[in-house]
């Protein structure tokens, strides 16, 4: 019987070192550590994220796919800037870079926009790194233009599908919608060639998730992701604080879920009520700690940093 | 017909792709945090041996291929077909040249090998990783030349031609790695 940890003890010690430095970083920068429940009666409606449901005492509960909703309720309650180190759960995600249970660092900065938050991420990652690191930023559309000579603003759905079959041989994209095409091209054609730390920002509004629209260009959302050598490490937003728009997005998610025959989780009315009561302008980000450890320690599989993977 | 969802994909799984039975060599789960999940799969077409990549949206299903690998004894070749027997049931199978492929040059009567059956008929033959075969033809050996490098071609009893050290003679037994086609060692009779 193999009862041994998946990670080396040295990796487990490095994780403790990183967590301790993260706490020091935020404590000295006026960010409050919080702890929100992992088991809650509502969950994300995001069409590409599947929750793990658990039979509760008298109702179904969900293992949280991220602490986002609960943390925003704290922000609405006047917590000020907050951070959390926690586990998050996503059904069906397993592979070299995925585990259904994984570790997240999530934080929210009152008064920041997404670019100010990217600055802070650079500072944090540099603090945790054992070597020097350099960062670059590029707009989502510009990345497609430079990498694929493709202007996604003007490309038709047919052209996007054609690009998928061409750039990723063995792909039948005939049933893909435009976001699925963009996901495929970014994940399998563009990302594998990216080098170093790179922020990609201003995602198409159709992929806004919980980000607000860019006030200068409503076709994009103030959302960013951080990649390291093509591996996605963090996802953040200038947060959408408008309860009406947030409700419309939840409803649209569940409509799309209905069309695809996916479960439609109840909309989180508590979050909407919190947004309704008013929430300061802020930016927030979730950073995958397992992947961060892989990068810091130069390991290539998540198995090497998970304490156990039974 | 049985089918597999992408979350059951693993190397070795036999699935139908474009009407042909294929084996999964590698399966990679690719998912942007907020985006569509995909399975990027490297597969070998079991009929042609060709290796190709395929992308599936995670959650899709693919038909299972009715393929089994079975240990059989090689009996003989009649020039057109290679004949094999299941040592348990004594049931015989005839495989054509397309199914036998390069494996034919390593097959010696009575040796056992792995025969891949698709819908009950052979589509592939895998010889043992190592075989011991007699040299039936080669240039005369150079006596005493056991340390120096240098090789010469030698024809083996099954027709295969491998490079062997210069000191080996007709009638000697050699061990060969069938995956690389390389000479491993001399075998004492």
């Amino acid at each position: 019987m193999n009862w041994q940890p998946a990670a080396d003890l040295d990796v487990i010690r490095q994780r403790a070192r990183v967590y301790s430095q993260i706490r020091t970083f935020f404590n000295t920068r006026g960010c409050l550590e919080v702890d929100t429940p992992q088991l809650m009666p509502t969950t994300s409606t995001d069409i590409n994220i599947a929750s793990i449901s658990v039979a509760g005492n008298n109702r179904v509960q969900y293992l949280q796919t991220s602490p986002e909703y609960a943390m925003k309720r704290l922000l609405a309650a006047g917590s000020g800037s907050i951070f959390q180190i926690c586990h998050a759960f996503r059904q069906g995600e397993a592979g070299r870079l995925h585990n259904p249970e994984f570790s997240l660092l999530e934080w929210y900065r009152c008064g920041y926009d997404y670019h100010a938050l990217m600055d802070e991420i650079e500072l944090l990652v540099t603090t945790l790194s054992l070597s020097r690191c350099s960062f670059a930023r590029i707009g989502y559309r510009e990345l497609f233009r430079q990498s694929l000579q493709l202007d996604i603003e003007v490309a038709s759905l047919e052209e996007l599908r054609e690009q998928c079959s061409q750039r990723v041989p063995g792909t039948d994209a005939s049933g893909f919608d435009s976001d699925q095409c963009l996901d495929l091209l970014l994940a399998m054609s563009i990302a594998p060639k990216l080098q170093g730390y790179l922020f990609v920002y201003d995602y198409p509004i159709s992929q806004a998730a919980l980000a607000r629209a860019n006030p200068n260009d409503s076709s994009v959302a103030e959302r960013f992701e951080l990649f390291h050598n093509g591996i996605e490490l963090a996802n953040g937003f200038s947060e959408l604080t408008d309860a009406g728009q947030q409700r419309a997005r939840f409803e649209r998610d569940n409509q799309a879920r209905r069309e695809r025959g996916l479960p439609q989780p109840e909309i989180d009315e508590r979050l909407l009520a919190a947004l309704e009561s008013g929430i300061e302008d802020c930016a927030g980000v979730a950073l995958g700690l397992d992947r961060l450890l892989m990068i810091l320690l130069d390991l290539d599989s998540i198995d090497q940093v998970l304490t156990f993977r039974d | 017909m049985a089918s597999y969802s992408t979350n059951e994909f693993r190397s070795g799984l036999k699935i139908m792709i474009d009407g042909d039975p294929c084996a999964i060599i590698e399966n990679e789960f690719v998912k942007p945090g907020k985006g569509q999940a995909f399975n990027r799969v490297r597969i070998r077409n079991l009929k042609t041996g060709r290796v190709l990549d395929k992308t599936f949206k995670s959650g899709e299903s693919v038909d299972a291929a009715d393929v089994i690998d079975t240990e059989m004894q090689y009996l003989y070749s009649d020039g057109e077909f290679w004949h094999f027997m299941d040592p348990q049931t004594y049931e015989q199978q005839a495989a054509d040249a397309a199914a036998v492929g390069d494996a034919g040059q390593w097959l010696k009567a009575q040796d056992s090998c792995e025969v891949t059956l698709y819908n009950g008929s052979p589509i592939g033959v895998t010889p043992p990783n190592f075989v011991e075969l007699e040299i039936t033809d080669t240039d005369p050996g150079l006596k005493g030349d056991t340390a120096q490098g240098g090789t010469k071609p030698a024809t083996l009893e099954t027709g295969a031609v491998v490079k062997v050290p210069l000191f080996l003679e007709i009638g000697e037994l050699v061990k060969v790695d069938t995956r690389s086609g390389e000479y491993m060692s001399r075998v004492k009779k």
Side-chain angles (χ1 to χ4, degrees):
Chain A
M1 181 67 69
N2 182 15
W3 54 269
Q4 294 278 358
D8 286 345
L9 283 176
D10 187 52
V11 174
I12 290 166
R13 288 185 197 106
Q14 287 291 336
R15 185 186 285 271
R17 192 258 311 167
V18 166
Y19 283 20
S20 160
Q21 280 182 289
I22 290 171
R23 291 196 160 100
T24 304
F25 180 88
F26 286 111
N27 288 336
T28 55
R29 293 170 63 86
C31 205
L32 178 73
E33 179 163 11
V34 297
D35 180 359
T36 58
Q38 295 192 328
L39 205 53
M40 296 186 85
T42 52
T43 188
S44 172
T45 56
D46 192 311
I47 182 144
N48 290 312
I49 294 179
S51 304
I52 298 175
S53 60
V54 176
N57 282 343
N58 43 21
R59 59 180 175 180
V60 169
Q61 305 243 79
Y62 299 93
L63 289 167
Q64 294 298 289
T65 60
S66 95
E68 183 161 12
Y69 297 1
M71 289 181 81
K72 282 187 175 161
R73 286 165 60 192
L74 285 174
L75 291 165
S79 64
S81 296
I82 47 178
F83 80 100
Q84 174 161 209
I85 292 174
C86 63
H87 282 205
F89 302 83
R90 295 183 187 178
Q91 185 158 45
E93 301 194 5
R96 189 173 67 84
L97 298 172
H98 293 85
N99 196 52
E101 176 176 3
F102 60 101
S103 302
L104 269 185
L105 164 64
E106 181 146 332
W107 78 97
Y108 292 84
R109 278 300 197 168
C110 297
Y112 280 38
D113 73 353
Y114 64 147
H115 275 289
L117 189 57
M118 286 184 239
D119 294 341
E120 188 170 54
I121 295 170
E122 293 188 9
L123 198 60
L124 173 68
V125 173
T126 304
T127 306
L128 300 174
S129 292
L130 307 166
S131 51
R132 268 179 59 85
C133 19
S134 62
F135 294 81
R137 294 181 196 184
I138 188 170
Y140 187 94
R141 281 175 184 164
E142 186 56 28
L143 178 64
F144 276 75
R145 220 172 271 147
Q146 285 187 13
S147 306
L148 307 179
Q149 293 74 52
L150 174 69
D151 187 346
I152 61 169
E153 257 171 297
V154 298
S156 67
L157 179 56
E158 274 323 300
E159 284 169 276
L160 290 178
R161 289 173 173 166
E162 177 64 32
Q163 284 284 328
C164 288
S165 332
Q166 237 176 61
R167 304 279 182 178
V168 188
T171 302
D172 172 10
S174 56
F176 288 12
D177 64 25
S178 60
D179 284 323
Q180 288 169 334
C181 291
L182 296 177
D183 283 340
L184 180 98
L185 290 169
L186 180 53
M188 290 195 219
S189 179
I190 299 175
K193 296 178 196 116
L194 298 179
Q195 290 297 316
Y197 286 102
L198 178 69
F199 287 102
V200 179
Y201 63 91
D202 283 350
Y203 274 62
I205 194 74
S206 56
Q207 300 182 23
L210 276 69
R212 75 173 177 213
N214 186 320
N216 304 315
D217 178 359
S218 60
S219 72
V220 298
E222 290 191 351
R223 174 182 161 203
F224 66 88
E225 292 212 345
L226 172 59
F227 291 85
H228 178 266
N229 291 351
I231 294 176
E232 186 187 330
L233 184 57
N235 176 78
F237 317 127
S238 297
E239 299 293 342
L240 178 65
T241 53
D242 182 301
Q245 279 189 47
Q246 186 61 68
R247 179 182 294 280
R249 287 195 197 170
F250 283 158
E251 283 169 356
R252 202 167 48 230
D253 279 350
N254 269 344
Q255 176 62 35
R257 282 177 161 269
R258 230 182 330 272
E259 284 160 13
R260 293 196 199 174
L262 298 171
Q264 298 124 49
E266 216 175 293
I267 286 173
D268 190 339
E269 293 294 343
R270 288 186 181 87
L271 170 63
L272 291 173
L275 294 178
E276 195 69 55
S277 82
I279 178 170
E280 221 182 309
D281 273 347
C282 61
V285 60
L287 185 151
L289 288 172
D290 304 310
R291 290 191 190 171
L292 178 66
L293 269 172
M294 285 172 56
I295 291 163
L296 294 179
L297 304 177
D298 200 21
L299 301 172
D300 50 30
S301 161
I302 199 168
D303 284 354
Q304 295 167 287
V305 300
L306 294 173
T307 308
F308 289 103
R309 193 177 196 179
D310 296 346
Chain B
M1 185 183 274
S3 65
Y4 295 112
S5 160
T6 53
N7 58 32
E8 298 173 275
F9 281 9
R10 58 181 189 281
S11 68
L13 196 73
K14 312 289 198 300
I15 55 176
M16 295 298 294
I17 299 290
D18 302 327
D20 277 350
C22 297
I24 294 179
I25 302 169
E26 253 178 71
N27 168 47
E28 193 181 9
F29 178 74
V30 181
K31 185 182 185 305
K34 304 260 177 211
Q36 174 68 46
F38 301 97
N39 285 68
R40 184 71 173 157
V41 183
R42 176 154 292 174
I43 51 179
R44 175 178 291 111
N45 183 314
L46 294 172
K47 277 183 159 172
T48 64
R50 271 189 58 211
V51 170
L52 66 158
D53 295 324
K54 275 276 179 192
T55 310
F56 297 93
K57 276 195 281 187
S58 299
E60 283 183 324
S61 286
V62 187
D63 285 338
D66 178 15
V67 169
I68 50 166
D69 295 323
T70 175
E71 199 71 18
M72 296 188 93
Q73 196 177 50
Y74 170 60
L75 300 176
Y76 63 97
S77 167
D78 60 20
E80 193 180 356
F81 289 101
W82 282 255
H83 297 267
F84 299 86
M85 183 182 73
D86 184 319
Q88 256 90 56
T89 64
Y90 305 110
E91 193 183 328
Q92 291 196 14
Q93 291 283 356
D96 62 14
V100 173
D102 289 341
Q105 64 180 325
W106 307 114
L107 295 177
K108 189 170 99 178
Q110 314 306 321
D111 276 1
S112 77
C113 55
E114 195 174 77
V115 178
T116 303
L117 301 176
Y118 168 53
N119 291 335
S121 307
I123 53 163
V125 175
T126 311
N129 289 344
F130 299 101
V131 291
E132 291 178 3
L133 298 170
E134 190 180 315
I135 297 176
T136 52
D137 188 32
T138 191
D139 290 339
L142 289 173
K143 281 279 183 273
D145 186 13
T146 54
Q148 293 300 313
T151 57
K152 59 181 179 179
T155 307
L156 308 180
E157 57 184 307
T158 54
V161 178
V162 296
K163 284 189 179 141
V164 301
L166 297 175
F167 61 83
L168 287 170
E169 305 275 11
I170 292 174
E172 287 193 276
L173 210 52
V174 293
K175 182 175 175 182
V176 182
D177 186 331
T178 60
R179 294 162 296 185
S180 59
E182 277 171 20
Y183 163 87
M184 302 302 294
S185 61
R186 175 156 59 162
V187 181
K188 290 262 186 318
K189 279 194 196 178

